[in-house]
């Protein structure tokens, strides 16, 4: 059930993992970059790299490691062995990259990178849950699926087979999912909406809210489902989720509302009733407080936005 809830949340926040570039290098090297995207990831396919970014201690990356950068403004990667000055490189944008085709994983440092795209609710969810840089070690026993997904992605990146662009997008999604799974299993998530999905004791109450979001749930019912006293349940939920249970329920309703307004033609009044609000005006007030605009204005804006669907950007 927890896994189903995680999938549902990821669908609602429109998580997408997109590749951006990569390189293969032999000998001492360094690469630097500035970026404005909220979330970037760096994966070391082979070799080693030392990652530095604003506000963190440098991190040593080994083969199969992935680093997930949360709201950082710059990064520096350096690696390689041998004599002579470090060669400064600019990752080749686009796939298949000439720098990657023909690379030798036995001798070269091979690094690929990408970005994570989410809607504003998803950005808040991940930024709250993750540290400035989340480091998932490919050598960990829990990261076997991540290593497999990473190597399959690299194979598609370098193969130039028919349908490779589609395959790269799909494998990028799977790499991102495995990174987050591995990070969740490490138990290092901060309090928030992502961490509460993994809490076994709160799971029965969470399932009720997710399965019937329109019901007028009270603390007594939710606490009883979790086999806890009302006080203990409320305290544990706030500690794990960062907000009280009914605040979480309201935010969940707003995520469902945003999806319905974007994808369906449901009337606002019907949507309000389905989500447990006594009136359309009460729902509209709650929606504007949470999202920052009225339901109708939100529907008009998201349906008229031009989607950005390119899997490639110009830097690692």
């Amino acid at each position: 059930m927890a896994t189903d809830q995680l999938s549902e949340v990821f669908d609602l926040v429109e998580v997408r993992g997109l590749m951006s570039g990569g390189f293969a290098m032999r000998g001492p090297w360094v690469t630097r970059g500035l970026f404005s995207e909220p979330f970037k990831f760096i994966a070391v396919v082979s070799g080693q790299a030392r990652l530095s970014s604003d506000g963190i201690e440098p991190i040593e990356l080994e083969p199969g490691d992935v680093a997930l950068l949360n709201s950082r403004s710059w990064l520096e990667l350096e690696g390689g062995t041998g004599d002579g000055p470090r060669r400064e490189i600019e990752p080749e944008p686009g796939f298949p990259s000439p720098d990657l085709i023909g690379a030798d994983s036995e001798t070269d440092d091979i690094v690929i990178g990408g970005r994570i795209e989410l809607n504003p609710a998803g950005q808040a969810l991940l930024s709250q849950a993750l540290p400035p840089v989340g480091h998932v070690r490919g050598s960990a026993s829990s990261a076997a699926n991540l290593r497999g997904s990473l190597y399959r992605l690299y194979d598609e990146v370098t193969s130039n087979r028919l349908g490779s662009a589609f395959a790269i997008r799909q494998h990028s999604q799977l790499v991102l999912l495995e990174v987050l799974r591995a990070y969740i299993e490490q138990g290092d998530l901060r309090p928030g909406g992502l961490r509460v999905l993994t809490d076994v004791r709160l799971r029965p109450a969470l399932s009720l809210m997710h399965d019937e979001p329109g019901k007028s749930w009270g603390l007594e019912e939710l606490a009883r489902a979790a086999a806890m006293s009302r006080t203990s349940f409320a305290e544990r939920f706030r500690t794990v989720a960062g907000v009280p249970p009914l605040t979480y329920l309201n935010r969940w309703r707003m995520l469902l509302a945003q999806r319905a307004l974007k994808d369906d033609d449901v009337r606002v009044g019907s949507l309000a009733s389905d989500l447990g609000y006594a009136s359309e005006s009460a729902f509209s007030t709650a929606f504007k407080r949470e999202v920052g605009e009225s339901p109708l204005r939100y529907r008009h804006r998201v349906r008229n936005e031009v989607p950005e669907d390119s899997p490639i950007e110009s830097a690692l």
Side-chain angles (χ1 to χ4, degrees), residues 21-282:
F23 62 87
M25 188 58 55
R26 195 173 306 173
W29 57 268
V30 62
T31 184
R32 302 178 178 92
L34 302 174
F35 51 87
S36 58
E37 297 88 355
F39 302 101
K40 297 277 289 186
F41 64 90
I42 304 295
V44 176
V45 179
S46 67
Q48 297 178 323
R50 181 181 175 89
L51 183 150
S52 302
S53 188
D54 46 320
I56 67 163
E57 294 293 326
I59 296 173
E60 302 293 336
L61 301 177
E62 303 286 340
D65 284 11
V66 178
L68 186 57
L69 283 73
N70 176 7
S71 302
R72 301 299 90 194
S73 62
W74 61 269
L75 69 81
E76 178 181 276
L77 285 171
E78 59 180 359
T81 58
D83 299 328
R86 293 190 183 277
R87 179 183 174 187
E88 186 152 355
I89 57 176
E90 293 187 12
E92 188 79 22
F95 295 112
S97 167
D99 278 352
L100 292 174
I101 294 177
D104 186 347
S105 60
E106 296 296 323
T107 58
D108 296 345
D109 294 324
I110 302 174
V111 180
I112 57 178
R115 70 185 188 271
I116 302 170
E117 291 189 349
L118 313 98
N119 62 24
Q123 291 182 21
L125 181 75
L126 275 195
S127 63
Q128 181 185 49
L130 299 174
V133 177
H135 180 197
V136 177
R137 298 186 183 277
S139 59
S141 59
S142 60
N145 287 337
L146 170 60
R147 293 193 299 273
S149 295
L150 179 59
Y151 296 140
R152 285 189 289 273
L153 170 61
Y154 175 68
D155 179 63
E156 288 293 343
V157 163
T158 57
S159 66
N160 198 23
R161 294 193 292 262
L162 288 173
S164 61
F166 176 81
I168 287 170
R169 288 195 294 269
Q170 305 309 308
H171 285 301
S172 297
Q173 294 286 84
L174 292 176
V175 166
L176 173 58
L177 175 60
E178 293 301 340
V179 166
L180 293 174
R181 279 176 172 170
Y183 203 78
I184 288 170
E185 289 179 12
Q186 290 178 3
D188 294 332
L189 290 176
R190 295 173 174 178
L194 196 56
R195 181 177 167 186
V196 74
L197 295 175
T198 71
D199 191 284
V200 175
R201 292 198 65 189
L202 296 176
R203 188 177 301 166
L206 208 68
S207 296
L208 293 180
M209 289 187 279
H210 279 239
D211 293 344
E212 297 184 74
K215 185 172 179 179
S216 182
W217 294 108
L219 281 180
E220 287 286 354
E221 290 176 284
L222 296 173
R224 188 161 52 249
M228 301 170 68
S229 71
R230 174 175 171 156
T231 301
S232 296
F233 171 75
E235 290 177 352
R236 183 178 181 89
F237 199 101
R238 180 187 283 272
T239 298
V240 174
V243 295
L246 299 186
T247 300
Y248 176 91
L249 174 60
N250 182 63
R251 291 181 178 177
W252 177 243
R253 288 170 170 170
M254 292 300 105
L255 279 176
L256 295 172
Q258 288 174 69
R259 179 175 64 181
L261 289 166
K262 178 183 177 183
D263 298 336
D264 303 331
D265 292 323
V266 61
R267 291 174 48 251
V268 173
S270 297
L271 182 58
S273 178
D274 291 343
L275 293 176
Y277 289 90
S279 66
E280 182 175 332
S281 62

